[in-house]
Amino acid sequence: METVDEMAHVLLKGHLLIEEGLSAVLDQYVFHREHLEEARLTFAQKAHIARALCLRKNTLGEWELVFAINALRNNLAHKLNSPERSKRLAKVKDVYFREAAGFERVEEVKKESDTVVLFNACAHSAGFLSTFLADSRGFRQMVHAMDRQLNPNLPPFEL
């Protein structure tokens, strides 16, 4: 406990931000969020459900990156110095560099420390989920417009 594992810190915070993104996406598809909260879904369950809700993004490699980050986080959560850690980190890096190929500055990121690469991989995943969230909000607005047409005499359902 005397030293701070910067990579673990980045991983835990990045994983949490990704999970919050997944939850925000799922919230757009349900009308009574409390029941979803009661389900106490795991990160992986949220990711699989969110992926199933994608109209055209379900085959993108970013999903592989989300699951690779989750596998690395799970490994860290159960063993601080696991021999699997380096293998799982290598997987995250491989998938991230494949999916970020052609992005500005990705060649510079390749020269950075594992912690910086992991930070960028988590940010890439969070950015992907942010675009999915925007699509999901548009879908929810269409559902609300349909509800107004189908139920004009009822009070509007809250967005």
Side-chain angles (χ1 to χ4, degrees), residues 61 86 90 96 136 147 153:
S86 61
Y96 167 64
S136 301
D147 178 57
N153 299 327

Side-chain angles (χ1 to χ4, degrees), residues 23-46:
S23 294
V25 166
L26 295 179
D27 282 351
Q28 297 305 305
Y29 292 92
V30 299
F31 300 99
H32 303 281
R33 292 178 177 105
E34 64 275 12
H35 302 300
L36 196 58
E37 290 169 9
E38 289 173 10
R40 300 189 56 165
L41 300 172
T42 66
F43 180 101
Q45 290 168 329
K46 290 176 185 180

Side-chain angles (χ1 to χ4, degrees), residues 42-112:
T42 66
F43 180 101
Q45 290 168 329
K46 290 176 185 180
H48 284 292
I49 293 168
R51 189 176 189 179
L53 292 169
C54 286
L55 180 60
R56 301 187 190 282
K57 296 178 180 177
N58 69 305
T59 59
L60 295 180
E62 279 77 7
W63 290 110
E64 185 181 355
L65 183 57
V66 165
F67 286 109
I69 290 168
N70 187 49
L72 178 59
R73 201 284 302 167
N74 287 346
N75 182 258
L76 175 74
H78 297 289
K79 282 192 172 184
L80 288 175
N81 295 313
S82 166
E84 288 291 311
R85 183 175 175 173
S86 61
K87 289 181 195 173
R88 293 181 195 254
L89 176 61
K91 173 76 173 177
V92 169
K93 290 169 65 173
D94 288 345
V95 176
Y96 167 64
F97 288 131
R98 182 187 73 217
E99 295 309 313
F103 282 21
E104 186 178 329
R105 296 189 56 239
V106 74
E107 292 305 317
E108 294 172 30
V109 174
K110 286 181 180 180
K111 299 172 191 169
E112 296 287 346

